[in-house]
Amino acid sequence: MTEQVNSLFDTGIERYKAGEGTDTLIPLFQDICNQAPKMAAAWTCLAWLYMLSAQPTQAYKAAQKGLKLDASDPQVRINYAMTMLETGQAGVRQHIEVIQQMIANSSELKEQVRETLDEGLTRKPDWKSLNKVKNWLFDS
């Protein structure tokens, strides 16, 4: 079962990278999350896809699950902070500060975060919450 879920996850990531839309990827990642509810990376991807498709409430719930499973992943916290912005939640600054600490000592991690945010803006150029988070992380 685990191999099958990991294979589905890898396939989903490849399909995303190939430019496939959220309309087909969201059901795939929902299925992965249902099959492997403790797979933080799947919840993180699902939250991202929900945000791309302007479904902030669903994104918030998925990001919250991802954060509970793996609070040490900066992408989980980025997604959570963005969904907090999009749903009007308080406490965003705390998560931004944690992300800043996470990427401060790793140029590799910092570059990965920057690439992810830039990639998100190529898919959704007017993404306000992503622009805010990017500015807080890299223009401060």
Side-chain angles (χ1 to χ4, degrees):
M1 164 108 156
T2 303
E3 284 183 40
Q4 181 183 7
V5 171
N6 287 336
S7 177
L8 272 177
F9 180 82
D10 292 342
T11 299
I13 294 295
E14 291 305 315
R15 287 168 52 184
Y16 174 83
K17 288 178 180 178
E20 189 168 328
T22 58
D23 56 330
T24 55
L25 289 174
I26 287 174
L28 173 66
F29 279 92
Q30 285 172 329
D31 185 44
I32 294 167
C33 290
N34 288 337
Q35 290 184 47
K38 295 188 185 228
M39 187 178 194
W43 289 107
T44 301
C45 291
L46 184 59
W48 185 261
L49 293 168
Y50 277 138
M51 286 186 293
L52 278 171
S53 65
Q55 298 181 58
T57 302
Q58 293 91 330
Y60 178 75
K61 291 175 185 177
Q64 199 170 36
K65 288 179 184 178
L67 183 65
K68 285 179 184 175
L69 293 168
D70 186 3
S72 66
D73 180 352
Q75 188 61 50
V76 169
R77 286 193 179 268
I78 287 167
N79 288 2
Y80 190 63
M82 288 171 44
T83 63
M84 291 175 77
L85 286 170
E86 292 183 9
T87 58
Q89 305 290 322
V92 175
R93 175 179 287 226
Q94 164 193 340
H95 293 284
I96 296 299
E97 289 172 354
V98 171
I99 299 163
Q100 288 171 327
Q101 292 169 2
M102 291 173 147
I103 65 175
N105 297 322
S106 172
S107 57
E108 181 181 329
L109 193 55
K110 189 174 192 174
E111 191 54 35
Q112 286 175 350
V113 167
R114 186 186 310 268
E115 287 173 6
T116 299
L117 297 178
D118 288 343
E119 190 277 331
L121 288 172
T122 63
R123 289 181 184 256
K124 190 175 175 181
D126 60 343
W127 200 344
K128 291 179 183 170
S129 62
L130 188 142
N131 273 312
K132 280 185 180 183
V133 168
K134 184 178 178 188
N135 288 337
W136 289 331
L137 293 176
F138 295 106
D139 292 342
S140 55

